[in-house]
Amino acid sequence: MSKTEPTGATDAGEQQDLGAAGDRLSTAPAEDTGAGGPTLGPIGWVRWFWRQLTSMRVALLLLFLLSLGAVPGSLIPQTPADELKVARFKDAHPTLTPVYEKLQLFDVYSSVWFSAIYILLFVSLIGCIVPRSWQFVGQLRSRPPGAPKRLDRLPAYTTWRTEAEPEQVRAAAHALLKARRFRSQADGDAVAAEKGYLREAGNLVFHLALIVMLVAFAWGQLYKSEGGKLIVEGDGFSNTLTQYDDFKSGSQFSTHDLEPFGFTLDSFTGTYEKSGPQRGTPRTFEAAVTYFEAGGKEKKAVVRVNEPLKVGDSKVYLIAHGYAPVVTVRDGRGNEVFKGAVPLLPIDNNITSTGAIKVMDGYRDKNGKRQQLGFQAFFVPTFAGAGKGNMFSQFPALDFPVMALTGYIGDLRVDSGLPQNVYQLDKSKMKQFTDKDGNKLAERLLPGETMTLPDGAGSITFEKEIKEWASFQVSQQPGNGLALAGALAAIAGLSASLFIQRRRIWVRAVRGDDGTTVVEMAGLGRSESAKLPEELAELAVTLTHEAPTAPEPAEAERPEKK
């Protein structure tokens, strides 16, 4: 039995000699190697352009351009996402702004150039997949091609002589190849077999998955919605547009698409590492809520980081947390004009927080004149003790809460018709309170303490109750499931196209001049691989059990020893 001889990939002339045996190993369209170029005339140019557009290299180029075009969208503020951030960017970069506006870099994903790349990629993939799919179906229905005349020209080849009958060898080869899941058939004096169709199937699945992901991306951008809401313990939320603190959506989204549900924040629990290098790191970060759907009963749930509450097609994510001290404001006559929890925004990891307390209605000064009060609040959950400089928290838990207040009186300008940040004071029409010595009034309060305003203006009390708040993001992304399915299919298809080899095996058995049977085995793959000769050698060794190697003629004639 001779050795299996890998001879490398066949050249163009040899492939032509192989005839049908070397054809249809791939569904990729053949390259146009004609020297004359495309036929002149409109139809010829259209055909040439279509062949280029639907080629694999153009599809990969468009895919690269699409990923490259998405880079500005992640580096430059986008108008649909944050108009205020875009406005600040324009104010800070007056020279770049006109250039960016002409290039539509503030709205990348809706720009003409990004849409053109997107559509061309879509058309290219479809134009590539449809004809290849029909070719692949044709290959599945066809029979393995017959053996070429000269098997010794193939990349992997072996031969031996046996005393078994040719019909017996071919039958054994056919049974062996069928057992190894080859598509096998008898073809004259040879057996033809083929395997590895899943390689082309994986290739087609990969490209179909890309189309699915493109459709999912477009669907998600057009019909998505995303809004944020800060909720204090005990307060609730209903999924309507007016309830959101901020809201953005796709161009085809309608408020009627909002999932009908609501929830109440029952409590927030946060615990933190108390010692070691991880001191202050959250250990427990969860919000207990009671939620309901339209026409349904109330249910309890716990929302954690990366464990959102799922209601229909919407997901409620827990994204932030802070404190909301309860304060009471009274006028000079002792009448209560404001009482409630005031959410303050954290400015560091230890939840040092700042915010504003605004008394807009119900307050009158000692002369009975209607006025408005404003307080700048600075809160630390764990005070480090009195000292000079700024006040900052030493730990995120409520171990030693202190709140510093600065009071103002006048017009908060909330009725001016201009939007206003609820966490900041507009002091343009406000006057800061001063003490009897003319110094600006500012005090640090412990829970239960009261700051008295001068000239009988009233007081503000830092109540012992300190509530917590949680910020939620409500997202509705209709294309996420489809995109995930497309991504998984793309990985599976790419794996199949990379690791499965399309190959063909032929076994020829004919009677030789000396009366013994000459067996030839050869293999051909789509690309050169060391696995093909190894597989052929394994098949040949197995086949020799049914067709053992015949002794050499000289050895057969040698007389036996007595």
Side-chain angles (χ1 to χ4, degrees), residues 415-435:
D415 301 323
S416 62
L418 299 175
Q420 191 177 97
N421 192 326
V422 297
Y423 303 102
Q424 295 179 351
L425 286 179
D426 184 347
K427 304 173 186 175
S428 59
K429 299 292 183 180
M430 303 289 287
K431 180 181 178 182
Q432 186 173 353
F433 286 108
T434 58
D435 58 20

Side-chain angles (χ1 to χ4, degrees), residues 286-559:
E286 59 187 31
V289 300
T290 301
Y291 72 98
F292 62 90
E293 300 180 63
K297 297 181 179 180
E298 291 186 345
K299 301 177 183 178
K300 298 287 186 179
V302 176
V303 185
R304 300 180 179 88
V305 178
N306 297 326
E307 295 183 19
L309 170 65
K310 298 179 182 180
V311 184
D313 294 331
S314 297
K315 292 183 179 180
V316 182
Y317 294 90
L318 175 63
I319 59 174
H321 155 257
Y323 294 105
V326 178
V327 298
T328 302
V329 180
R330 294 179 172 83
D331 60 16
R333 300 179 180 179
N335 298 321
E336 184 180 291
V337 294
F338 176 85
K339 184 174 183 178
V342 182
L344 303 178
L345 295 182
I347 60 175
D348 61 21
N349 292 333
N350 287 325
I351 318 186
T352 302
S353 306
T354 183
I357 303 169
K358 300 180 183 182
V359 181
M360 296 175 285
D361 299 309
Y363 175 80
R364 295 179 183 273
D365 61 15
K366 61 181 181 180
N367 299 320
K369 182 180 178 181
R370 187 182 297 275
Q371 293 273 39
Q372 292 178 332
L373 295 179
F375 299 90
Q376 194 71 48
F378 196 84
F379 175 81
V380 291
T382 302
F383 185 47
K388 298 181 180 179
N390 296 326
M391 181 175 71
F392 287 98
S393 176
Q394 301 298 307
F395 193 71
L398 289 172
D399 292 344
F400 186 12
V402 175
M403 183 166 59
L405 294 174
T406 305
Y408 299 83
I409 188 169
D411 182 8
L412 291 169
R413 296 182 62 80
V414 293
D415 301 323
S416 62
L418 299 175
Q420 191 177 97
N421 192 326
V422 297
Y423 303 102
Q424 295 179 351
L425 286 179
D426 184 347
K427 304 173 186 175
S428 59
K429 299 292 183 180
M430 303 289 287
K431 180 181 178 182
Q432 186 173 353
F433 286 108
T434 58
D435 58 20
K436 59 182 179 179
D437 298 325
N439 299 318
K440 294 181 179 180
L441 183 62
E443 290 187 17
R444 291 176 180 172
L445 303 179
L446 296 174
E449 294 185 342
T450 299
M451 181 175 77
T452 302
L453 303 177
D455 299 328
S459 65
I460 178 170
T461 301
F462 177 20
E463 302 291 348
K464 293 184 178 181
E465 181 183 12
I466 301 175
K467 294 187 176 182
E468 301 189 49
W469 59 261
S471 183
F472 297 91
Q473 177 180 290
V474 183
S475 298
Q476 199 166 332
Q477 297 280 356
N480 281 356
L482 189 62
L484 177 60
L488 294 176
I491 294 173
L494 185 61
S495 300
S497 64
L498 289 177
F499 299 109
I500 297 177
Q501 185 184 17
R502 182 84 174 271
R503 66 271 195 197
R504 291 168 180 165
I505 300 291
W506 292 275
V507 181
R508 176 174 285 145
V510 296
R511 192 172 299 280
D513 296 337
D514 59 352
T516 59
T517 300
V518 178
V519 182
E520 291 182 292
M521 290 187 69
L524 178 66
R526 177 179 173 181
S527 58
E528 184 177 1
S529 173
K531 292 183 179 180
L532 180 61
E534 293 174 2
E535 184 176 28
L536 186 71
E538 183 183 354
L539 289 171
V541 170
T542 305
L543 186 59
T544 55
H545 294 299
E546 298 292 335
T549 305
E552 295 295 332
E555 183 178 332
E557 295 172 0
R558 186 180 306 163

